[in-house]
Amino acid sequence: DVIKDGNTGEIVAVHCTYDPQTKGGEAPPDGRKVKGTLHWVSAHDAKKAEFRLYDRLFAKPDPEEDVPEGGDWRDNLNPESLKVVHGLTEPSLATAKPGDAFQFERVGFFAADPDTATAGMPVFNRTVTLLADKGMTDEVDPVKEARRLAQEKAAAERQRVKEERERKKAEKERKKALAGAAANGSRAADSSGPVNGANGLAGGG
């Protein structure tokens, strides 16, 4: 039985029985046919997480196909190419490391994002949907694809940090050179003044 809120219509409770013989979708030994398997996450023990649902960048296989007059390929960008939603996960996923791959039931394959370290909660990127359009995608190993995307993002972050470090180093050396030039100019001015003065006095005598 499903219990719903009388005002909002939202489900607030489900009264059911648990059949351990059907755990994992396995057929029970008595021959009964199981219509479906429900996957539960305990809200009390679960951890909050962010899910980035990436989809096709373009709405058509060829973005330059059927472009409206006066338009271009950008008119075929998919406005639904990224959706960010929040939900609950098993507590064990709270310690997921960037690149770790998972399959979330009924949704697709995901990889933990490096943003997990700063977002205050686990962040997962969808890498492959469960229902892939044969006309839009090729056969992809979801685990390898998840790792590849995570490695690319980690490499880009390392490159950014490296460039920032080199920029700061160059700026520091530039300031050091300017300070050295200024100091040399000051010493040159101090040493030239008295010599000229002495020569002037000697000439006057």
Side-chain angles (χ1 to χ4, degrees), residues 184-194:
N184 290 335
S186 176
R187 285 196 295 271
D190 291 343
S191 61
S192 61

Side-chain angles (χ1 to χ4, degrees), residues 159-195:
Q159 181 64 23
R160 186 193 68 79
V161 172
K162 179 181 178 181
E163 292 176 354
E164 180 66 14
R165 188 185 302 117
E166 291 177 349
R167 185 190 66 79
K168 290 182 177 180
K169 181 179 179 181
E171 180 65 16
K172 183 177 181 180
E173 291 178 350
R174 186 185 69 83
K175 291 181 178 180
K176 183 178 179 181
L178 290 175
N184 290 335
S186 176
R187 285 196 295 271
D190 291 343
S191 61
S192 61
V195 171

